[in-house]
Amino acid sequence: MSLIPFPHRPVTDAAHLGTVLGVWAHPDDEAFLSGGLMAAARDAGRRVVCVTATLGERGTTDPRRWPPDRLGRVRRHELDASLAALGVEEHHLLGITDGTCATQPRDAVVDRLAGIIDAVAPDTIVTFGPDGLTGHEDHQTVSAWTTAACSAVAPDTRLLYATTTEEFVEGWEPAREAFDVFLADGLPLRTPESELAVHLRLDSTVLDRKVVALRAQATQMAGLIAAVGEDRVRQWWSTEAFVSADSTSTGARPWGTWRVAA
């Protein structure tokens, strides 16, 4: 691994991130938060590897139509199609049941992630921050696992936490009632640009691919697009922002947590 130093200003070109490893909780997390990063990195010839903890089989408001077994099978195919649209060919599925990350044996999962990190030897790891971005318990747990695994086997690797900015929040606010996934106090984050380690503004070509990747995950996206329109989705997710895990902004602040219904 050859660590590429960060400049003092935010990185604005994914090619500068080297080999990228993303670690996420559910299918679609990776596309929403880093779809443009992954596509741009692959276009630049960089290696990109994705880890998904669960199949998000409880991610529905209609469990009669979508019982967990069926939804999990469908979401696995959706994820494969989504990653293919982004050019990502290397994927690891941890096989954890959706909504149970916090109850898993921590050391065993951290060891498994550490093995993946050791094998991939990434220059950059992207994942959730301790806030979990939305406050979701699975997201927060994946952040803790990834941080511990990185510290154990690759302490010099660049570890980045996904965040949102004032610009994002201002664009999202009018749709709060239709798309209220930020269910913990203090979220969504309004991270100042001066605190960002990476700030990607996606060009139209990369953004088109990201939207294709998101649309591939139709069980999650069809309702959202119907509710707010594709133009608004494009506006929200046309930028991707990350802070460094060792920055003061990530801190030890306690965050509220929400979990999926049993």
Side-chain angles (χ1 to χ4, degrees):
M1 179 185 71
S2 58
L3 188 63
I4 303 172
F6 258 145
H8 294 297
R9 296 179 180 177
V11 169
T12 58
D13 184 347
H16 296 161
L17 299 176
T19 295
V20 176
L21 173 66
V23 187
W24 307 104
H26 315 102
D28 80 10
D29 295 336
E30 75 298 317
F32 275 118
L33 302 179
S34 66
L37 184 157
M38 292 190 291
R42 291 295 294 138
D43 287 348
R46 300 299 192 183
R47 183 184 181 191
V48 176
V49 183
C50 182
V51 177
T52 310
T54 85
L55 284 174
E57 63 270 24
R58 293 164 69 188
T60 180
T61 58
D62 187 0
R64 254 178 212 251
R65 180 186 178 194
W66 293 108
D69 286 350
R70 181 186 180 210
L71 184 57
R73 288 194 302 270
V74 171
R75 293 196 73 180
R76 175 61 188 268
H77 292 302
E78 290 178 340
L79 177 58
D80 289 345
S82 180
L83 291 174
L86 301 171
V88 177
E89 300 174 347
E90 296 182 73
H91 179 240
H92 298 265
L93 180 64
L94 299 186
I96 295 167
T97 299
D98 187 18
T100 72
C101 288
T103 65
Q104 299 301 310
R106 178 186 179 278
D107 290 348
V109 181
V110 169
D111 285 349
R112 187 171 177 190
L113 284 175
I116 294 172
I117 293 170
D118 193 46
V120 174
D123 296 292
T124 302
I125 298 173
V126 293
T127 190
F128 303 102
D131 50 274
L133 200 87
T134 65
H136 194 305
E137 185 176 59
D138 280 355
H139 295 186
Q140 294 171 340
T141 304
V142 166
S143 174
W145 289 340
T146 307
T147 302
C150 182
S151 177
V153 297
D156 295 327
T157 295
R158 182 187 302 127
L159 177 61
L160 301 177
Y161 294 151
T163 191
T164 49
T165 63
E166 182 74 30
E167 178 183 9
F168 173 89
V169 175
E170 291 302 316
W172 168 79
E173 188 66 32
R176 178 187 288 269
E177 290 188 9
F179 183 53
D180 194 9
V181 300
F182 301 98
L183 298 178
D185 290 344
L187 300 176
L189 297 170
R190 298 172 182 261
T191 305
E193 187 169 358
S194 61
E195 296 182 10
L196 298 179
V198 173
H199 195 196
L200 304 181
R201 294 187 180 276
L202 310 183
D203 65 33
S204 59
T205 300
V206 172
L207 182 56
D208 284 344
R209 286 175 63 192
K210 178 172 180 172
V211 171
V212 170
L214 286 168
R215 278 191 169 276
Q217 306 205 41
T219 58
Q220 311 303 300
M221 286 301 299
L224 172 60
I225 291 175
V228 304
E230 184 175 305
D231 287 346
R232 184 166 283 172
V233 171
R234 289 177 69 92
Q235 174 194 354
W236 288 341
W237 303 109
S238 63
T239 62
E240 295 173 359
F242 299 84
V243 295
S244 175
D246 58 9
S247 71
T248 55
S249 63
T250 62
R253 171 180 172 177
W255 293 100
T257 298
W258 66 276
R259 55 186 59 88
V260 296

